[in-house]
Amino acid sequence: MRLAAIDIGSNAARLLISEVSTDSDGKTAFNKVNLVRVPLRLGFDVFEKKEISPEKSDMILHTIKAYKHLIQAYNVSHIKAAATSAMRDAINAGEIIDRVRDETGILIEVISGGSEAALIYENHIAENLDRDHAYLYIDVGGGSTELTFFAGNKLVFSASFNIGTIRLLKKQVTEQHWDNMKDFIKRETKDYPNNIIAIGSGGNINKIFSISKRKEGKSLHVDLLKDYYKEFSSFSLADRMQLYKLREDRADVIVPALLIYINVMRWANSPEIYVPKIGLADGLIQHLYADLKKKGIEV
């Protein structure tokens, strides 16, 4: 059976199509069939003007229509669509959601920051890792950063902070925002000194991992992230695009993303980060699968 998830973030919209199968032992596997990304960049409208422009509204509709064609072409059985920080803040989000539903039949759910963090945890990556350590999921988006802390085979906390790459570029993040995140992290992780491993998700940390040429399953040390931050910061946007073969919509946000990852890891005393290529869309599909099973729908 094929399931699909649409993740409408502050920087891009993603469609993930996965094949879900169960083996003879009853273990479920989620195999990616296709992943499509469109850089809508909604945050550049919302975090400054508090609403999504007519041009960007049209782009959302065209994107969802294109995604619907792909969903039909891949014979997808069920779909879940969610929007995050930019749509949470946009005063005209309701109008856009109604328009998309009326013209495509796809209902977009605007989820809270806490729900976003919990959905990323749906991937359960930490359950397959060494239980002697605690694990901090860090998902950095354009509008917010989601943190999920996992220790002793238990979910300790999920939290969302309005610190994101586009907000930083638009100078919408104050010292108070940083202080609130720092105080929270230090307070909630103080019982796990020198024992926390970070798990990163988001397009920027995946790009850094790719640039590092590390083998899959290997970690990145926080000092390496600091080196990349200094290196990338020393170049102009055009130079970053040319030297590292980055699209413009990646080259501008990768520097503030590195700053967020570095700060979170520093405050949690986490020396290394694993990058297992997970994200909100993966969590949405796992959540959709669990809902279907709960309702007794054959999957």
Side-chain angles (χ1 to χ4, degrees):
M1 154 176 276
R2 286 177 177 170
L3 303 179
I6 296 174
D7 161 21
I8 302 171
S10 302
N11 197 34
R14 295 172 179 83
L15 167 67
L16 173 64
I17 298 173
S18 289
E19 185 85 46
V20 185
S21 59
T22 305
D23 64 19
S24 56
D25 296 326
K27 187 176 180 180
T28 304
F30 297 85
N31 296 308
K32 182 173 75 175
V33 174
N34 201 354
L35 176 64
V36 183
R37 177 184 183 275
V38 177
L40 295 176
R41 319 220 81 185
L42 303 181
F44 281 94
D45 278 1
V46 176
F47 303 142
E48 196 168 33
K49 302 171 185 173
K50 304 301 180 187
E51 66 178 350
I52 296 169
S53 67
E55 293 78 17
K56 289 287 175 76
S57 298
D58 288 343
M59 285 176 65
I60 294 171
L61 182 62
H62 295 323
T63 299
I64 301 301
K65 282 183 174 179
Y67 285 173
K68 183 176 181 180
H69 288 310
L70 280 172
I71 286 164
Q72 291 171 331
Y74 276 99
N75 196 27
V76 170
S77 303
H78 301 276
I79 178 172
K80 189 173 184 67
T84 56
S85 188
M87 291 282 268
R88 284 198 291 267
D89 288 7
I91 58 174
N92 58 338
E95 301 167 24
I96 295 168
I97 289 167
D98 288 346
R99 184 182 175 199
V100 169
R101 183 197 59 212
D102 292 344
E103 296 196 34
T104 70
I106 292 174
L107 177 62
I108 300 167
E109 178 187 0
V110 179
I111 60 174
S112 69
S115 296
E116 188 177 353
L119 280 163
I120 293 162
Y121 164 73
E122 292 278 350
N123 296 284
H124 301 295
I125 296 295
E127 291 181 358
N128 300 317
L129 300 175
D130 178 5
R131 293 190 183 183
D132 290 338
H133 289 88
Y135 297 92
L136 179 62
Y137 290 77
I138 310 170
D139 182 71
V140 174
S144 61
T145 294
E146 275 62 52
L147 304 177
T148 308
F149 191 53
F150 182 96
N153 204 29
K154 291 182 181 178
L155 179 61
V156 179
F157 71 76
S158 287
S160 178
F161 298 88
N162 279 343
I163 298 177
T165 58
I166 295 177
R167 286 191 200 268
L168 282 166
L169 288 175
K170 301 298 276 183
K171 303 190 184 309
Q172 301 287 324
V173 178
T174 66
E175 284 300 318
Q176 188 62 52
H177 286 116
W178 283 117
D179 287 342
N180 289 342
M181 179 190 265
K182 177 174 70 174
D183 292 344
F184 179 89
I185 292 170
K186 290 194 167 189
R187 182 179 68 250
E188 298 298 326
T189 62
K190 63 181 172 58
D191 294 333
Y192 307 88
N194 306 314
N195 197 36
I196 297 172
I197 291 175
I199 298 173
S201 61
N204 291 295
I205 196 67
N206 277 286
K207 178 55 69 174
I208 290 295
F209 188 82
S210 174
I211 291 171
S212 77
K213 296 191 167 30
R214 289 286 197 280
K215 290 184 179 179
E216 193 169 337
K218 297 294 183 181
S219 66
L220 301 175
H221 198 277
V222 68
D223 288 341
L224 180 63
L225 299 190
K226 291 176 183 176
D227 289 342
Y228 277 127
Y229 178 72
K230 290 176 187 174
E231 185 178 327
F232 291 166
S233 299
S234 69
F235 295 116
S236 67
L237 175 63
D239 286 342
R240 287 199 294 271
M241 292 171 64
Q242 182 179 3
L243 290 168
Y244 302 102
K245 304 294 187 289
L246 299 174
R247 300 183 310 271
E248 183 177 0
D249 63 285
R250 179 65 65 210
D252 59 354
V253 294
I254 201 164
V255 172
L258 278 164
L259 180 63
I260 297 170
Y261 284 108
I262 290 164
N263 280 339
V264 171
M265 292 174 70
R266 209 161 42 87
W267 296 330
N269 288 317
S270 177
E272 58 184 333
I273 186 166
Y274 286 86
V275 188
K277 295 183 180 176
I278 58 168
L280 177 60
D282 301 88
L284 285 168
I285 280 185
Q286 298 210 17
H287 189 73
L288 174 59
Y289 175 75
D291 275 353
L292 292 170
K293 285 198 72 176
K294 194 182 297 182
K295 292 173 183 174
I297 297 172
E298 187 66 32
V299 291

